[in-house]
Amino acid sequence: MKRKIYLLVMAIAAVLFAMPARAFDLGDVRVNARFLTDRMAFELKLNQRQYNDLYEINFDFFSNVDPYVSALARADARAMDAYYRYLDERNDDLRWILSNTAYVRFMSIDYFFRPICAVDNMCYLRVYKVYPDRGFFYYGLPPHYYTYRGAHRRAHCGGVSYYKMNFRKHYNHKVYAGYYQCRPEHRPHDFGKPAPSVRPPRPVCPPSRPVPPPASRPPKHEMDKRDRYERHEVRNRKEKVERAKKPDRSSTRTSRDASRRNIREM
């Protein structure tokens, strides 16, 4: 009995621990792709072929951005870069299945053109705010709803749009040739501004060896006086030594005069 209670407590703790990690999840990729495809096909008046291709494109888009959803809710710059890269690829693919008129209409609808946004650190699909009844659909399930797993995404086609390569097989409409990429000003409207990164102060490491204090020196003018005094003393000593080495001329002259007198007297 105690073991069953312990296992039950552990299971509840695991569920509670996993809930914050899924708090930013948008939900099932297939469900979101089908709902968005259904509303786009209804408003843009698409045929069955366009509906099927549109589901694949939306499925690939949600699969690509799903790992970045939690970071998008925090307005992480790297996650937003990845999101808008996949969004531009998705919107580029749509040019080949939508007519020029339908594509212009598609770009004017934010919940189709930029489907994901963040509010209060939570990511949402804009289309659910416009169509809150998630159980109602205008169209049935796509034929490959359970079997399609991303075979036509660009990662499997060498980075080239599968729908561009097969455009002539299924479509012959005029392709939209205008600017379709998302602009930088869309970011604050979709996810807000990223929080500035605050770096902790760099720790000051003590020096490995103690630095000796600088030697105290007397002021410059005191040193000059001492140097002049020492030079004067040295010069006086040298003069005394030189005078001591020179012969005394006065005594020599006196001895000479005396010798001259003696010679005269003789």
Side-chain angles (χ1 to χ4, degrees):
M1 185 67 181
K2 292 183 179 180
R3 183 178 180 182
K4 292 182 179 180
I5 296 175
Y6 176 77
L7 293 176
L8 180 62
V9 172
M10 292 297 295
I12 295 174
V15 171
L16 294 177
F17 179 78
M19 282 180 64
R22 303 292 294 177
F24 302 105
D25 196 352
L26 288 173
D28 188 81
V29 171
R30 297 186 187 278
V31 174
N32 292 331
R34 183 197 174 189
F35 193 90
L36 182 60
T37 301
D38 185 88
R39 297 312 189 260
M40 290 179 65
F42 171 73
E43 292 198 27
L44 302 178
K45 298 178 174 57
L46 306 183
N47 57 37
Q48 187 63 40
R49 179 72 198 189
Q50 292 173 312
Y51 177 79
N52 296 341
D53 289 343
L54 179 59
Y55 171 78
E56 294 180 357
I57 294 174
N58 286 331
F59 178 88
D60 293 341
F61 167 70
F62 285 122
S63 298
N64 288 331
V65 303
D66 186 66
Y68 302 97
V69 172
S70 59
L72 284 174
R74 301 190 304 267
D76 181 79
R78 294 184 179 180
M80 287 192 292
D81 290 341
Y83 168 77
Y84 285 108
R85 182 177 71 252
Y86 289 125
L87 184 60
D88 287 342
E89 291 180 359
R90 172 241 188 191
N91 295 342
D92 182 29
D93 290 340
L94 290 176
R95 294 190 305 128
W96 306 98
I97 69 171
L98 298 180
S99 64
N100 184 77
T101 304
Y103 197 87
V104 172
R105 170 65 178 161
F106 155 77
M107 293 181 64
S108 65
I109 304 174
D110 285 342
Y111 53 89
F112 291 161
F113 186 62
R114 298 176 359 250
I116 300 177
C117 66
V119 179
D120 296 332
N121 294 330
M122 292 287 290
C123 283
Y124 300 92
L125 287 182
R126 284 190 170 103
V127 68
Y128 287 136
K129 295 184 178 181
V130 181
Y131 297 96
D133 188 359
R134 304 189 182 189
F136 174 78
F137 294 92
Y138 294 98
Y139 301 87
L141 286 175
H144 50 333
Y145 180 79
Y146 294 106
T147 58
Y148 181 76
R149 298 181 180 180
H152 295 162
R153 68 176 60 181
R154 297 197 178 194
H156 302 296
C157 301
V160 182
S161 173
Y162 169 85
Y163 309 94
K164 178 181 179 180
M165 294 187 297
N166 296 273
F167 171 72
R168 295 299 178 188
K169 295 181 181 179
H170 310 293
Y171 303 102
N172 58 358
H173 59 258
K174 182 180 179 181
V175 179
Y176 178 81
Y179 189 86
Y180 61 87
Q181 289 90 350
C182 289
R183 302 178 185 274
E185 56 267 22
H186 291 150
R187 296 194 178 202
H189 297 285
D190 294 341
F191 304 103
K193 296 182 179 179
S197 58
V198 180
R199 295 184 178 180
R202 187 175 182 180
V204 180
C205 299
S208 57
R209 295 182 180 179
V211 180
S216 59
R217 300 181 62 186
K220 187 175 180 180
H221 63 281
E222 294 292 337
M223 293 185 66
D224 292 344
K225 290 181 180 180
R226 188 179 65 182
D227 292 344
R228 288 197 298 270
Y229 177 77
E230 291 179 354
R231 289 197 298 269
H232 182 69
E233 291 294 327
V234 172
R235 187 168 60 251
N236 289 340
R237 286 196 295 269
K238 287 182 179 181
E239 291 179 355
K240 289 181 181 180
V241 172
E242 290 178 357
R243 284 197 299 267
K245 291 181 179 181
K246 290 181 181 181
D248 191 358
R249 293 181 180 181
S250 59
S251 60
T252 305
R253 189 176 301 168
T254 303
S255 60
R256 286 179 182 178
D257 294 342
S259 61
R260 288 177 182 176
R261 291 194 204 97
N262 293 332
I263 292 174
R264 289 176 182 177
E265 291 176 358
M266 290 178 63

